[in-house]
């Protein structure tokens, strides 16, 4: 019986946050910084993207609040939603990049080049190198190495097979090494 009370406590506390505006504001103020920090560390230095994804995460959480079952901490659940929103963002970017590259190939191949990011600190160089990668490669590296997901989990997040994801990760590592080297040469 005590086990049941323990497992329902997070759910009860979570749903109590929706009882009134003050309770929701208190819950939101406690959780938003952690969710934002999680997303900001994965957005290549784009604060506005992290803000947008954080907002989308909370909107989705409110819409699907009945699905929170208390098996994890509420912030863990929110970060999982945020990771899905980030994956959606990367998939959208990948589609846009494919469209743009088709147009650029017709217009001028010189327009497809990306200027290297100038930065002295290692983190800035890493972010800069990541920004230069195609969205699918960036997403694969972020999910695999920053989030520590397995290849299977990365594949699921990106909607690809495990074999295709392994190939994507290999290309992404190669591209990152080249891009990071170019950024490092510019320092």
């Amino acid at each position: 019986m005590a086990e049941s009370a323990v497992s329902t406590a997070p759910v009860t506390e979570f749903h109590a946050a929706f009882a009134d505006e003050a309770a929701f504001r208190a819950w939101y103020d406690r959780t938003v910084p952690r969710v934002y920090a999680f997303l900001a560390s994965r957005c290549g230095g784009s604060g506005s993207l992290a803000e947008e994804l954080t907002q989308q995460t909370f909107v989705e959480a409110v819409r699907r609040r009945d699905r929170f079952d208390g098996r994890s901490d509420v912030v863990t659940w929110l970060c999982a939603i945020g990771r899905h929103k980030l994956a959606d963002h990367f998939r959208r970017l990948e589609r846009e990049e494919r469209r743009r590259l088709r147009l650029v190939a017709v217009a001028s191949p010189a327009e497809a080049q990306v200027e290297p990011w100038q930065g002295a600190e290692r983190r800035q160089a890493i972010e800069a190198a990541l920004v230069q990668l195609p969205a699918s490669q960036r997403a694969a590296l972020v999910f695999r190495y920053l989030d520590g997901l397995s290849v299977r989990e990365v594949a699921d997040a990106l909607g690809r097979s495990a074999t295709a994801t392994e190939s994507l990760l290999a290309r992404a590592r190669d591209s990152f090494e080249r891009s990071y080297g170019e950024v490092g040469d510019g320092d």
Side-chain angles (χ1 to χ4, degrees):
M1 191 65 127
E3 184 179 321
S4 174
V6 170
S7 65
T8 60
V11 175
T12 304
E13 182 181 325
F14 173 72
H15 288 290
F18 295 91
D20 62 43
E21 189 175 332
F24 181 82
R25 173 52 73 184
W27 171 78
Y28 180 82
D29 288 344
R30 271 192 327 270
T31 55
V32 77
R34 292 172 59 197
V35 174
Y36 175 82
F38 171 82
L39 290 166
S41 69
R42 288 152 177 79
C43 289
S46 174
S48 61
L49 175 59
E51 288 173 8
E52 177 66 26
L53 293 174
T54 300
Q55 179 183 8
Q56 290 176 14
T57 297
F58 278 88
V59 168
E60 189 71 15
V62 168
R63 270 189 52 237
R64 296 179 179 229
R65 65 182 175 264
D66 293 336
R67 292 188 182 183
F68 178 69
D69 60 11
R71 287 186 290 171
S72 67
D73 178 71
V74 71
V75 174
T76 303
W77 181 69
L78 289 166
C79 288
I81 293 171
R83 183 180 291 123
H84 288 287
K85 295 298 176 186
L86 184 59
D88 291 344
H89 168 75
F90 281 133
R91 280 192 290 270
R92 229 179 355 266
L93 272 182
E94 182 181 18
R95 283 191 305 271
E96 290 170 8
E97 285 175 355
R98 280 195 306 258
R99 280 188 217 114
R100 183 177 47 84
L101 288 175
R102 281 192 295 258
L103 291 173
V104 168
V106 171
S108 166
E111 294 175 29
Q113 302 211 352
V114 179
E115 295 179 16
W117 180 320
Q118 300 296 318
E121 296 180 18
R122 184 173 185 210
R123 179 162 177 84
Q124 288 175 324
I126 290 169
E127 287 176 357
L130 282 172
V131 166
Q132 293 182 21
L133 299 181
S136 60
Q137 291 181 7
R138 191 175 340 142
L141 289 176
V142 165
F143 291 156
R144 179 74 175 111
Y145 298 106
L146 283 179
D147 291 348
L149 299 181
S150 69
V151 172
R152 176 80 257 158
E153 291 169 321
V154 174
D156 290 344
L158 298 177
R160 296 172 181 254
S161 70
T163 304
T165 301
E166 288 171 354
S167 296
L168 176 64
L169 281 164
R171 288 190 313 276
R173 285 188 295 268
D174 290 343
S175 296
F176 177 81
E177 287 177 17
R178 280 191 308 275
S179 181
Y180 187 75
E182 290 172 9
V183 170
D185 292 342
D187 285 348

